Amino acid sequence: ESLHQSLKEGKRSARYLEGCERLGRLYNSTAMQYLQAGDNSQALDLLQSAESLIAEGAGDSSLDSLKGLTYNNLGCYFRREGMPMEALKWLRQAHDIELRVGESASRSSTFLNLCAVYSLLGKHSEALQCANEALKHLKISLQQDPDAPLAAAVPGMEKVDKASMLAIAHHNIAVEQEYLLRHEEAVGSYRRALQVAESQCGTKSPLAAKIRIALTAAINAAEANGGGGESEDLGVSK
């Protein structure tokens, strides 16, 4: 109702654009909850509704952050649907927008999603590069504001903050190093991932347990000179 009231002031009015921003972020947050629950159809409907709001803003740059968020989450949706090339299209657009907007926190999430898609496509050098970029931007974001939540959700796990995402970035680096047969490096990356996960999420957390299993497998793979896992993606809820 408030959005319709602000429409009287015009679609380029600050009040209307702020309403689009709030509603668009709500659509994204709810969409990712549906995606986590496996209701992909409802998730897509909400993400497309967010797209429509952005279009209503007539390309105003104040909605660029929302656009990057929405495109990032559309990338997650299409990856879950088994459409990596379509996912890559949306994630590249999100990357270009966030590069312009300059938000380190959101860029780290997009890079992790790009890592997961490139890995799925068998482009492990590109995936490793994206995981390293995610780690770099996470560190920048933590330096700028250590307590600010990123509000990202990892499939099958609890919502995590930026510090916990450091563990996921190290984990994805390790996975891609394994694919590239850099087994000793992978073991070191898994150890760093586990150290961060245990300190930030707790030793009994699902994230720490997942990485502990991967570390054991990586040690065995290093000894046998083979192996490979799966990089995590992230859907951003806010």
Side-chain angles (χ1 to χ4, degrees):
E1 184 179 349
S2 61
L3 189 61
H4 286 120
Q5 289 174 347
S6 63
L7 185 57
K8 298 175 183 178
E9 302 175 16
K11 291 185 177 181
R12 300 303 294 268
S13 70
R15 184 181 176 192
Y16 182 77
L17 293 170
E18 286 171 6
C20 286
E21 174 84 16
R22 287 195 301 272
L23 186 56
R25 289 186 177 275
L26 177 61
Y27 283 154
N28 271 274
S29 177
T30 308
M32 299 319 292
Q33 292 174 22
Y34 277 121
L35 198 62
Q36 293 293 308
D39 194 341
N40 292 8
S41 178
Q42 286 281 5
L44 180 60
D45 286 346
L46 286 164
L47 291 173
Q48 289 175 333
S49 295
E51 267 196 289
S52 297
L53 281 175
I54 294 164
E56 286 290 320
D60 193 282
S61 60
S62 66
L63 296 179
D64 279 354
S65 180
L66 174 62
K67 185 187 291 187
L69 170 68
T70 304
Y71 287 5
N72 186 356
N73 286 338
L74 279 165
C76 284
Y77 165 82
F78 284 109
R79 179 183 182 263
R80 309 291 177 86
E81 284 289 290
M83 302 169 65
M85 291 305 298
E86 185 70 12
L88 190 58
K89 181 189 81 172
W90 289 103
L91 290 170
R92 281 174 170 167
Q93 290 184 78
H95 168 269
D96 291 345
I97 292 166
E98 290 162 358
L99 181 62
R100 185 170 68 250
V101 174
E103 296 180 349
S104 289
S106 58
R107 291 189 72 193
S108 60
S109 174
T110 299
F111 274 121
L112 284 175
N113 289 335
L114 279 166
C115 168
V117 171
Y118 276 127
S119 186
L120 194 61
L121 291 168
K123 298 184 176 183
H124 299 295
S125 293
E126 290 90 339
L128 178 57
Q129 182 179 357
C130 288
N132 278 311
E133 285 292 319
L135 183 61
K136 180 182 79 173
H137 286 288
L138 276 166
K139 288 179 177 178
I140 292 171
S141 184
L142 281 167
Q143 288 172 354
Q144 291 172 342
D145 191 352
D147 298 321
L150 185 62
V154 182
M157 300 181 191
E158 70 278 12
K159 288 186 177 181
V160 297
D161 58 20
K162 285 184 290 190
S164 303
M165 278 182 65
L166 283 171
I168 297 167
H170 283 298
H171 167 272
N172 285 9
I173 288 170
V175 168
E176 301 312 319
Q177 287 170 332
E178 283 192 282
Y179 276 120
L180 294 169
L181 306 181
R182 294 159 58 174
H183 299 289
E184 293 299 328
E185 293 178 49
V187 170
S189 295
Y190 277 127
R191 290 190 191 281
R192 285 186 288 274
L194 183 60
Q195 182 179 19
V196 174
E198 288 182 339
S199 64
Q200 298 298 329
C201 302
T203 57
K204 296 183 179 179
S205 67
L207 181 58
K210 178 183 178 73
I211 295 171
R212 199 174 292 114
I213 292 169
L215 172 59
T216 301
I219 292 170
N220 293 335
E223 293 173 353
N225 203 27
E230 181 180 354
S231 286
E232 294 286 353
D233 71 344
L234 294 173
V236 185
S237 60
K238 290 185 182 178

